[in-house]
Amino acid sequence: MKNRIIISLFLGVFFIVGCDDGLDILPTGTVAEEVYWERQKDAETAVNAVYRELDDQTMIKQLDGVTDIGYRAPSGPGTLHDVGAGNIVPSNDAIGAIWDRYYVGVRKANDVINNIGQVEVGDPEVLSRLEAEARFLRAYFYTQLTSLWGDVPLIEEPLDINQHVGRTDKGQIVEFIISELDNIIDNERLPLSYEGENIGRATHGAALALKARVALRNSQWSVAEEAAQDVMDLGIYELYPDYQGLFQYEGQNSSEVIFDRQYAPDGQTYGAFGYSAASIGGSSTVEPLHGLYELMEFKGPQNPDDPYENIDPRWDHTVYYTGQPIGNSTYNSRPDSPTPDRVQGSEAATQHGYNLKKWIDYENDSDNPSNGSINLIHIRYADVLLMYAEAKIEQNDIDQSVYDAINEVRQRPTVDMPPITGGKSQDELREILRRERGVELAFEGLRLFDMNRWGIGDRKEGLAQGAYFYDEQADEWYLHDRGFNRSFNPDRDTLWPIPTDEMNSNDEISQNNPGY
């Protein structure tokens, strides 16, 4: 994209190009403006095109690879691997592509918001709902943009090709996001749920949950608490009993899912195993690291002869490690393994010994792995419970509801970790809550945002360590590494740089951090 904000935001009022991504997106081609905004179906098509810019595997699976719990494998220059290493530069292609995606989403949403009033043929209630969906999606994109870049251009209407837009104060954008969501929530412009082909659209609960998220990321604790409480009070969400199944086909559209990106076998798909182990056809794009293991607790005594015995069951549901079943065999990444999973055995094999198990449904995808279509969850009820607990803890308003929220997550039937007992201090509960978020939400694209707002980015510094392997000669367990060291600059790396192309094409924009 040559001129990011200037060009991408100008396009779209006059022409829209799209493809079928599950929702009914405009077929390939162009439609003139005077024809496009006549019917309700035109508005539906335009809104569906906004959903296409929602976070995909890059932000849901890869992003944790730049944190203390994961590793993103190198695959050429300008990837998130460099971000994980601490080599963050404005010309990084991955960063630029994410910026582009969000602003294309903003542009498409603005097209809807500013033109839907022209539609004369349609149900006014449906048209109002469609506009609210576009406003919700724009709020989502700006939540991500401000969380990653801080002060960014706030654009509320389509731009002329010659318009250049500078950065807006992050606090002003956050208030804009919350105001937009409040309008949607207070006027009940989105339904509680959908049926049939509309499943996957933004709901009233999604608006409340997004409000809680943006408030939490900006230390507006009382706002976050109230919004999370409102989600809980709806009485329509609950935890899915099977933690592993939640991220497989059986958990699709379950009562835990509040908002997700929808996929379908006959619509948009992706490589089901591409991010996982070589033995099932993957390329080990993202790997769990020892940092995730360190967050885990043990249900029983820790066995010095087996580091994985009695560990939190969410470890087994999230990570492939030596001895675990995988596909039709057993995962073995030991240095002497005869399998494709031998550590550093090939470009596709794990570099540190572990592979990602979350989001893998081998039984259902093995016959056609190129047609993977498990929905990618953006917001779920467990996150809401933990946001509620954190907001209360940070206000030092600790009561039984805080323990109840955390324990509800910990005591999901397939997890069943011991409950957190009362009498904890604010500092103790803060540490418990942060550990719980790291374990529960691993490889769902949230860890980087948590680390940045907690000021713990330096936890990824140093040698990246992976799996425990047993050395028979030395008669001891050791942590595998490949000598890869990562850095973190606290004065710079909590924000990503404004992409180089944007800086070159927009006369009004300035870099967000002198470190870049």
Side-chain angles (χ1 to χ4, degrees), residues 173-370:
I173 301 176
V174 169
E175 290 309 308
F176 168 78
I177 294 168
I178 292 176
S179 175
E180 287 283 280
L181 294 172
D182 279 342
N183 179 274
I184 293 169
I185 294 163
D186 295 344
N187 294 292
E188 298 182 345
R189 299 182 64 187
L190 294 174
L192 291 175
S193 63
Y194 296 92
E195 295 181 351
E197 64 182 10
N198 284 322
I199 290 175
R201 294 184 180 277
T203 63
H204 183 76
L208 285 168
L210 181 59
K211 179 181 176 180
R213 174 174 289 179
V214 69
L216 196 80
R217 288 184 183 178
N218 292 278
S219 303
Q220 296 187 25
W221 308 121
S222 62
V223 176
E225 176 195 345
E226 181 181 0
Q229 181 69 69
D230 287 344
V231 176
M232 296 156 63
D233 289 344
L234 291 176
I236 60 175
Y237 300 111
E238 61 183 358
L239 299 184
Y240 190 70
D242 186 342
Y243 183 83
Q244 183 173 328
L246 176 63
F247 306 98
Q248 298 178 331
Y249 290 103
E250 68 170 83
Q252 301 289 272
N253 302 315
S254 72
S255 57
E256 181 163 350
V257 177
I258 297 176
F259 187 62
D260 62 6
R261 176 165 182 151
Q262 297 268 312
Y263 294 83
D266 58 350
Q268 187 184 29
T269 61
Y270 55 83
F273 308 143
Y275 283 72
S276 192
S279 61
I280 56 173
S283 57
S284 304
T285 305
V286 178
E287 303 174 16
L289 288 179
H290 184 62
L292 178 59
Y293 176 89
E294 289 184 306
L295 292 178
M296 297 285 169
E297 300 171 63
F298 288 81
K299 299 180 73 169
Q302 191 167 352
N303 185 352
D305 298 322
D306 182 356
Y308 307 120
E309 184 176 278
N310 293 328
I311 199 168
D312 187 322
R314 287 171 290 190
W315 173 259
D316 289 343
H317 299 324
T318 304
V319 180
Y320 282 124
Y321 58 89
T322 294
Q324 266 214 329
I326 184 171
N328 298 315
S329 60
T330 301
Y331 185 79
N332 181 359
S333 62
R334 286 180 52 84
D336 58 358
S337 172
T339 76
D341 293 323
R342 177 169 59 89
V343 66
Q344 295 180 249
S346 70
E347 289 187 5
T350 172
Q351 297 297 297
H352 295 89
Y354 296 133
N355 265 121
L356 187 61
K357 184 177 182 181
K358 203 174 204 177
W359 306 107
I360 299 296
D361 191 335
Y362 183 82
E363 182 177 345
N364 285 295
D365 277 327
S366 57
D367 289 341
N368 191 5
S370 64

Side-chain angles (χ1 to χ4, degrees), residues 165 258 265 292 327 381 389 420 475 504:
V165 180
I258 297 176
L292 178 59
Y381 189 54
I420 303 300
D475 189 28
N504 290 340

Side-chain angles (χ1 to χ4, degrees), residues 56-203:
D56 58 7
Q57 293 191 100
T58 298
M59 293 298 286
I60 302 301
K61 297 179 183 178
Q62 280 195 46
L63 195 61
D64 280 11
V66 309
T67 72
D68 60 331
I69 67 170
Y71 169 82
R72 202 287 188 187
S75 58
T79 68
L80 287 181
H81 171 80
D82 300 317
V83 178
N87 302 322
I88 306 177
V89 294
S91 60
N92 183 283
D93 288 341
I95 288 176
I98 294 165
W99 171 278
D100 282 347
R101 178 176 214 124
Y102 290 144
Y103 272 109
V104 169
V106 168
R107 179 260 295 169
K108 290 181 177 182
N110 284 339
D111 289 344
V112 174
I113 295 164
N114 287 273
N115 288 286
I116 199 168
Q118 300 177 40
V119 176
E120 296 180 355
V121 180
D123 183 337
E125 290 189 6
V126 173
L127 294 172
S128 176
R129 188 205 79 204
L130 291 169
E131 182 187 345
E133 289 179 54
R135 290 184 181 276
F136 168 87
L137 292 168
R138 185 174 63 178
Y140 178 91
F141 298 136
Y142 270 117
T143 297
Q144 298 293 82
L145 283 162
T146 54
S147 298
L148 292 168
W149 284 279
D151 300 348
V152 297
L154 175 60
I155 301 165
E156 300 180 54
E157 57 186 32
L159 296 181
D160 181 88
I161 193 169
N162 296 314
Q163 286 181 268
H164 294 208
V165 180
R167 295 188 293 126
T168 303
D169 178 75
K170 177 183 177 181
Q172 181 179 334
I173 301 176
V174 169
E175 290 309 308
F176 168 78
I177 294 168
I178 292 176
S179 175
E180 287 283 280
L181 294 172
D182 279 342
N183 179 274
I184 293 169
I185 294 163
D186 295 344
N187 294 292
E188 298 182 345
R189 299 182 64 187
L190 294 174
L192 291 175
S193 63
Y194 296 92
E195 295 181 351
E197 64 182 10
N198 284 322
I199 290 175
R201 294 184 180 277
T203 63

